[in-house]
Amino acid sequence: MIFKKKLTVIGLCLGGGGARGFAHLGALKAFEEYGINFDMVAGCSVGSCAGAFICAGKSFKQTYNIAKELQVKDIKRNKIKFMPSSTEGLEELISNNIKQKNIEELPKKLFIVSVDAKTGKEIVFDSGSLSKAVAGSCAVPGVFYAVNYNNMTLIDGGVMNNIPADVLRKRGCDVVITVDVNSTRGGGTNSDKFYDIFLASIGIMMKNNSKQGYLYSDIVIQPDMKRFKSSKLDGYEAMVEEGYNATVSAMPEILKLIKSKRYRLWKRNKRKNMQKL
């Protein structure tokens, strides 16, 4: 009896974290080296950006070569310091480097999490403009202006669901691997400046809503990113290395989980098919 259904559906969840998202590239490098392919990806904020490149079929090397050339001014284009920026830079990063313009055109399934400020509801994009969805998912209040798209006012998905592992579970994933590049979020700040307190407040809020993402994940990879700032690109090579090392360290557990899950599903499917004979 030949089983046509894929035995194990594997999902990759990529959390938010601003510039710390370089660690996602290190994770991608490790996954490539160990031959782990994901059936679908869910991303929030910078995780949606990394997910777009992965689901477009871009390799680690291709994505890294694009990312290493980025400067803060390419992404944040505010002319007045401490004022929000438009998301034009983010949109151009996607549209200039990924040929597919709509999410549903990507070779691999991608789910992008954002929040509609008009309704206060979480929005999960699996179709429509790729660049707009990514920009909306990355639009941290106070850092970027909200993105107006399809009669919605989109802001950072991390406001409600910074680790969207549940999105993958609801779409049939048997295994969910999560990369959290900002596990130290919510640590507060020693500064009494308005902007620092504002960003710290957002981090505290995101820490609370990230808990459910951990519950829906089988394995959570947590690179040590404490020494890096989410708003600075300094040390991007070290960030990539941290993501790579953390993923390699988790690889024995990942491989064991995938193998055991495949066997259990194979055995269950075989039993069901035998009963039909």
Side-chain angles (χ1 to χ4, degrees), residues 72-91:
V72 172
K73 65 180 181 180
D74 296 325
I75 303 300
K76 286 191 65 184
R77 297 182 175 179
N78 49 323
K79 295 180 180 179
I80 302 176
K81 194 174 182 180
F82 301 125
M83 288 295 290
S85 167
S86 74
T87 58
E88 289 179 358
L90 285 165
E91 293 177 41

Side-chain angles (χ1 to χ4, degrees), residues 38-51:
F38 296 93
D39 299 288
M40 57 185 79
V41 179
C44 176
S45 200
V46 72
S48 73
C49 187

Side-chain angles (χ1 to χ4, degrees), residues 38-159:
F38 296 93
D39 299 288
M40 57 185 79
V41 179
C44 176
S45 200
V46 72
S48 73
C49 187
F53 281 89
I54 292 172
C55 291
K58 300 288 186 181
S59 67
F60 159 73
K61 187 174 181 179
Q62 289 173 315
T63 308
Y64 176 77
N65 286 339
I66 294 168
K68 72 179 183 178
E69 299 299 328
L70 288 175
Q71 298 181 41
V72 172
K73 65 180 181 180
D74 296 325
I75 303 300
K76 286 191 65 184
R77 297 182 175 179
N78 49 323
K79 295 180 180 179
I80 302 176
K81 194 174 182 180
F82 301 125
M83 288 295 290
S85 167
S86 74
T87 58
E88 289 179 358
L90 285 165
E91 293 177 41
E92 289 175 9
L93 172 64
I94 298 298
S95 61
N96 290 343
N97 293 289
I98 296 177
K99 66 178 182 179
Q100 295 87 357
K101 302 308 175 187
N102 292 316
I103 301 169
E104 66 272 21
E105 297 170 355
L106 294 169
K108 190 169 293 185
K109 289 183 180 180
L110 173 64
F111 302 97
I112 296 175
V113 175
S114 187
V115 172
D116 180 9
K118 285 185 178 180
T119 63
K121 293 182 179 179
E122 177 182 328
I123 307 295
V124 179
F125 290 100
D126 59 4
S127 62
S129 171
L130 178 61
S131 61
K132 287 291 185 184
V134 169
S137 184
C138 293
V140 179
V143 178
F144 292 101
Y145 288 112
V147 175
N148 294 312
Y149 176 62
N150 280 359
N151 200 34
M152 293 178 287
T153 302
L154 302 175
I155 59 175
D156 195 313
V159 171

